Amino acid sequence: MLHSFISESTQTPDAPQREQLDNSRAFSIDAAFPVAEELASSSLVDLVSSKGVIVISGSGGVGKTSVAAAVGLFSACYLERKSIVVTVDPARRLATALGLSGLGNQAFEIDESSLKEAGLQPRGSLYAMQIDTKRSWDEMIWRYAESEEEAYRILKNPLYQGFSGRFIQSHDYIAMDRLYDLRSRAEFDLIVVDTPPSRNALDFVEAPRRVQEFFGGRLLRLLTAPYRVGGDVGSRFFNFATRPFYRIADQILGSKFLEDIAEFFLLFQSMYDGFVERATAVDRMLRDAHTAFAVVSTLETAALFEARSFRDLLIARGFPLEAILFNKVLPGYLLDKVAAEKAERLTDPALVESLQALVGDDYDAFLINRVLNEVSENYKNFHFAAVRQAQEAREFGSDHLLVGSIPYVPGEVSDLLSLGKMAENLFKVSLLRRSL
């Protein structure tokens, strides 16, 4: 019954109920627990309108991709900007949120007719892209290789095939590389990045540095030393038997595998400067005044723990964290203390007697009392949960961060209409035609 109660209490209202929903915002998290005064004149609308890149981060399962899509949709429809949402999430959640069957490695424009059909009023344009990691690595090889022959040798190397698809930093590095590429072309007014599913909080922003360290690592230098000294992969200045390290490596890995390693990293060595330069440029872009980070979370205990980790690490590393966006928040009217007091009074024996007299002998006092107790207990539980959520949100607001909230609604964000409603709830603006 608890689940059905929350589902019913958070349904999207019909048109006659909209005014009631708007009035209930008086009990929203922001109104009930004001954030620092210096944020009073600021807003999420101002934030999005003033930035060229917004990086959406957070743990899995909190609706991060849907929120990123909602930010892009708001920017296109309300701010009249040419906006793109970029993701490397293999689960294709971005396509689902936009009501599409799929996305590719190139920017895809959402049809204006599709936006209008959903009740939206597009003043700008919205694009989306789901990065193909393997294909993007291939394109990067062609960009950095010194010659066509060198590019072909890398692309055909067995190690490269595994590295570009399964290396632990591969997805994260490509996300940052494509972001830099899009930003450099200055084709879009706003780029919203849905960060890849990360094992650690800052994998995506640290990926360029880690890839750089990987190619310059001591172990790889040791493995390729005989070939670098000999000047050619096929010739060795000394054989493996003369050095214990290489003899053991040869026994464990095999000569052919060592040669593949050597070829791969010797070829990549010629592109090393390009990687370093790109990594430096990406880091600089992520820290400049036109970039903002936003952490998405729910107000559940585990998700909040992850959100705090993201917040602390981003701040410690000097990245411009601007906002915390809470998704699936209990509706604001549950914070109403008067309503909670009335719920407490539902268990009053006098009320049971009055209802029994009203409905007649068809319902005995025990049954009426049981129903009222269940309703009262459910409402009080939700009230206490809403108060706890508001307190948690207030803590984040005290860190001088913008705090946004999106109320819980049943079901998934699976089309432009539901995405438009999410954007309305987040930015507190009108995007959809009221006749819907």
Side-chain angles (χ1 to χ4, degrees), residues 19 28 61 66 68 99 113 130 133 135 181 202 212 220 240 257 272 284 311 319 356 362 369 373 407 432:
E19 187 175 351
S28 68
S66 297
S113 59
Q130 178 169 322
T133 304
R135 183 175 175 182
D181 189 49
L202 292 185
Q212 174 186 339
L220 296 178
F240 285 118
F257 187 68
Y272 182 74
R284 186 166 55 245
R311 176 198 61 189
F319 291 105
Q356 187 179 22
D362 291 339
N369 186 62
N373 270 281
L432 295 163

Short mmCIF file of all heavy atoms in Angstrom, two decimals, residues 19 28 61 66 68 99 113 130 133 135 181 202 212 220 240 257 272 284 311 319 356 362 369 373 407 432:
data_model
loop_
_atom_site.label_atom_id
_atom_site.label_comp_id
_atom_site.label_asym_id
_atom_site.label_seq_id
_atom_site.Cartn_x
_atom_site.Cartn_y
_atom_site.Cartn_z
N GLU A 19 -2.74 24.62 -10.93
CA GLU A 19 -2.61 25.75 -10.02
C GLU A 19 -2.30 25.26 -8.62
O GLU A 19 -1.48 25.84 -7.92
CB GLU A 19 -3.91 26.56 -10.04
CG GLU A 19 -3.78 27.85 -9.22
CD GLU A 19 -5.02 28.70 -9.35
OE1 GLU A 19 -5.90 28.38 -10.18
OE2 GLU A 19 -5.11 29.68 -8.60
N SER A 28 8.38 23.76 -1.19
CA SER A 28 9.48 23.05 -1.85
C SER A 28 10.72 23.09 -0.98
O SER A 28 10.80 23.85 -0.01
CB SER A 28 9.79 23.69 -3.21
OG SER A 28 10.33 24.98 -3.02
N GLY A 61 22.04 5.10 -11.88
CA GLY A 61 20.70 4.86 -11.38
C GLY A 61 19.99 6.05 -10.78
O GLY A 61 18.91 5.90 -10.21
N SER A 66 18.81 11.34 -18.10
CA SER A 66 17.55 12.07 -18.32
C SER A 66 17.70 13.54 -17.93
O SER A 66 17.21 14.43 -18.62
CB SER A 66 16.42 11.43 -17.51
OG SER A 66 16.17 10.11 -17.95
N ALA A 68 20.50 15.28 -17.95
CA ALA A 68 21.34 15.91 -18.98
C ALA A 68 20.50 16.26 -20.21
O ALA A 68 20.62 17.35 -20.77
CB ALA A 68 22.48 14.97 -19.36
N GLY A 99 13.06 9.80 -26.97
CA GLY A 99 12.04 9.13 -27.77
C GLY A 99 12.56 8.62 -29.10
O GLY A 99 11.80 8.48 -30.06
N SER A 113 9.51 19.14 -35.81
CA SER A 113 8.13 18.62 -35.82
C SER A 113 7.90 17.68 -34.63
O SER A 113 6.81 17.66 -34.06
CB SER A 113 7.84 17.89 -37.13
OG SER A 113 8.76 16.82 -37.33
N GLN A 130 25.58 9.87 -29.35
CA GLN A 130 26.06 8.78 -28.50
C GLN A 130 27.39 8.32 -29.06
O GLN A 130 27.46 7.74 -30.16
CB GLN A 130 25.07 7.62 -28.46
CG GLN A 130 25.58 6.47 -27.61
CD GLN A 130 24.50 5.44 -27.36
OE1 GLN A 130 23.35 5.79 -27.17
NE2 GLN A 130 24.87 4.18 -27.36
N THR A 133 32.88 4.47 -28.94
CA THR A 133 34.25 4.55 -28.45
C THR A 133 35.26 4.03 -29.45
O THR A 133 36.29 4.67 -29.74
CB THR A 133 34.38 3.79 -27.12
OG1 THR A 133 33.43 4.30 -26.19
CG2 THR A 133 35.78 3.93 -26.55
N ARG A 135 35.04 3.58 -32.74
CA ARG A 135 35.12 4.41 -33.94
C ARG A 135 35.83 5.73 -33.66
O ARG A 135 36.61 6.22 -34.48
CB ARG A 135 33.72 4.67 -34.48
CG ARG A 135 33.68 5.46 -35.78
CD ARG A 135 32.27 5.56 -36.30
NE ARG A 135 32.20 6.42 -37.47
CZ ARG A 135 31.08 6.73 -38.10
NH1 ARG A 135 29.93 6.20 -37.70
NH2 ARG A 135 31.09 7.53 -39.14
N ASP A 181 36.83 18.47 -28.88
CA ASP A 181 36.67 18.65 -30.32
C ASP A 181 35.43 19.48 -30.63
O ASP A 181 35.47 20.41 -31.45
CB ASP A 181 36.58 17.28 -31.00
CG ASP A 181 36.63 17.37 -32.51
OD1 ASP A 181 37.53 18.06 -33.03
OD2 ASP A 181 35.76 16.77 -33.17
N LEU A 202 36.05 10.54 -10.32
CA LEU A 202 36.60 11.47 -11.30
C LEU A 202 37.30 10.78 -12.46
O LEU A 202 38.20 11.34 -13.07
CB LEU A 202 37.57 12.44 -10.61
CG LEU A 202 36.94 13.43 -9.63
CD1 LEU A 202 37.98 14.39 -9.10
CD2 LEU A 202 35.82 14.20 -10.29
N GLN A 212 47.90 9.46 -20.60
CA GLN A 212 49.24 9.99 -20.81
C GLN A 212 50.25 9.23 -19.96
O GLN A 212 51.33 8.84 -20.44
CB GLN A 212 49.24 11.48 -20.43
CG GLN A 212 50.59 12.14 -20.46
CD GLN A 212 50.51 13.56 -19.92
OE1 GLN A 212 49.46 14.17 -19.90
NE2 GLN A 212 51.64 14.08 -19.48
N LEU A 220 56.04 -0.11 -19.52
CA LEU A 220 56.00 -0.12 -20.99
C LEU A 220 57.35 0.27 -21.58
O LEU A 220 57.76 -0.25 -22.62
CB LEU A 220 54.90 0.82 -21.49
CG LEU A 220 53.47 0.40 -21.09
CD1 LEU A 220 52.46 1.41 -21.58
CD2 LEU A 220 53.15 -0.97 -21.65
N PHE A 240 66.69 -11.66 -25.35
CA PHE A 240 66.06 -11.70 -24.05
C PHE A 240 66.87 -12.51 -23.04
O PHE A 240 66.80 -12.26 -21.84
CB PHE A 240 64.66 -12.30 -24.17
CG PHE A 240 63.67 -11.35 -24.76
CD1 PHE A 240 63.05 -11.64 -25.96
CD2 PHE A 240 63.39 -10.15 -24.13
CE1 PHE A 240 62.14 -10.76 -26.50
CE2 PHE A 240 62.47 -9.27 -24.66
CZ PHE A 240 61.84 -9.57 -25.85
N PHE A 257 53.86 -11.83 -28.59
CA PHE A 257 53.08 -10.85 -27.84
C PHE A 257 53.95 -9.65 -27.48
O PHE A 257 53.49 -8.50 -27.55
CB PHE A 257 52.50 -11.48 -26.58
CG PHE A 257 51.55 -10.59 -25.83
CD1 PHE A 257 50.31 -10.25 -26.37
CD2 PHE A 257 51.90 -10.08 -24.59
CE1 PHE A 257 49.44 -9.43 -25.68
CE2 PHE A 257 51.04 -9.25 -23.89
CZ PHE A 257 49.80 -8.92 -24.45
N TYR A 272 52.74 10.70 -29.03
CA TYR A 272 52.71 10.99 -27.60
C TYR A 272 52.56 12.48 -27.32
O TYR A 272 51.77 12.90 -26.47
CB TYR A 272 53.98 10.45 -26.95
CG TYR A 272 54.03 10.67 -25.45
CD1 TYR A 272 53.26 9.90 -24.59
CD2 TYR A 272 54.85 11.66 -24.91
CE1 TYR A 272 53.30 10.10 -23.22
CE2 TYR A 272 54.90 11.86 -23.54
CZ TYR A 272 54.12 11.08 -22.71
OH TYR A 272 54.16 11.29 -21.36
N ARG A 284 42.43 22.33 -19.26
CA ARG A 284 42.23 23.79 -19.23
C ARG A 284 40.78 24.14 -19.55
O ARG A 284 40.18 25.02 -18.92
CB ARG A 284 43.19 24.45 -20.23
CG ARG A 284 43.18 25.98 -20.18
CD ARG A 284 44.37 26.55 -20.92
NE ARG A 284 44.44 26.06 -22.29
CZ ARG A 284 45.43 25.29 -22.75
NH1 ARG A 284 46.42 24.94 -21.95
NH2 ARG A 284 45.44 24.90 -24.01
N ARG A 311 31.12 15.71 -4.98
CA ARG A 311 31.24 17.12 -4.59
C ARG A 311 32.62 17.41 -4.01
O ARG A 311 33.29 18.37 -4.43
CB ARG A 311 30.15 17.44 -3.55
CG ARG A 311 30.22 18.85 -2.98
CD ARG A 311 29.42 18.94 -1.68
NE ARG A 311 29.95 18.04 -0.65
CZ ARG A 311 29.34 17.81 0.51
NH1 ARG A 311 28.17 18.37 0.77
NH2 ARG A 311 29.88 16.99 1.40
N PHE A 319 37.77 21.88 -9.88
CA PHE A 319 36.83 21.94 -11.00
C PHE A 319 35.63 22.79 -10.60
O PHE A 319 35.22 22.80 -9.43
CB PHE A 319 36.39 20.53 -11.41
CG PHE A 319 37.47 19.72 -12.03
CD1 PHE A 319 38.10 18.71 -11.32
CD2 PHE A 319 37.89 19.97 -13.33
CE1 PHE A 319 39.11 17.95 -11.89
CE2 PHE A 319 38.91 19.23 -13.91
CZ PHE A 319 39.53 18.22 -13.19
N GLN A 356 -18.54 6.02 11.31
CA GLN A 356 -19.40 4.84 11.40
C GLN A 356 -20.88 5.26 11.35
O GLN A 356 -21.71 4.64 10.69
CB GLN A 356 -19.12 4.05 12.67
CG GLN A 356 -19.89 2.73 12.72
CD GLN A 356 -19.59 1.94 13.97
OE1 GLN A 356 -19.16 2.50 14.97
NE2 GLN A 356 -19.83 0.64 13.92
N ASP A 362 -22.87 -0.98 7.63
CA ASP A 362 -22.15 -1.81 6.65
C ASP A 362 -20.66 -1.90 6.97
O ASP A 362 -19.97 -2.81 6.52
CB ASP A 362 -22.34 -1.25 5.24
CG ASP A 362 -23.77 -1.41 4.74
OD1 ASP A 362 -24.48 -2.28 5.30
OD2 ASP A 362 -24.17 -0.68 3.83
N ASN A 369 -11.32 2.08 11.64
CA ASN A 369 -10.12 2.45 12.39
C ASN A 369 -8.85 1.94 11.73
O ASN A 369 -7.83 2.64 11.68
CB ASN A 369 -10.24 1.91 13.82
CG ASN A 369 -9.09 2.38 14.70
OD1 ASN A 369 -8.91 3.57 14.92
ND2 ASN A 369 -8.29 1.43 15.17
N ASN A 373 -5.93 4.39 10.33
CA ASN A 373 -4.58 4.23 10.88
C ASN A 373 -3.55 4.02 9.78
O ASN A 373 -2.44 4.55 9.84
CB ASN A 373 -4.55 3.06 11.86
CG ASN A 373 -4.85 3.49 13.29
OD1 ASN A 373 -4.00 4.02 13.98
ND2 ASN A 373 -6.10 3.27 13.71
N PRO A 407 10.65 16.53 -8.82
CA PRO A 407 9.79 15.63 -8.03
C PRO A 407 9.70 14.24 -8.64
O PRO A 407 9.86 14.05 -9.84
CB PRO A 407 8.43 16.33 -8.05
CG PRO A 407 8.46 17.18 -9.28
CD PRO A 407 9.89 17.62 -9.44
N LEU A 432 5.81 23.49 -22.04
CA LEU A 432 4.77 22.74 -22.73
C LEU A 432 3.50 23.57 -22.87
O LEU A 432 3.17 24.39 -22.00
CB LEU A 432 4.45 21.46 -21.95
CG LEU A 432 5.58 20.44 -21.86
CD1 LEU A 432 5.31 19.45 -20.75
CD2 LEU A 432 5.76 19.70 -23.19
#
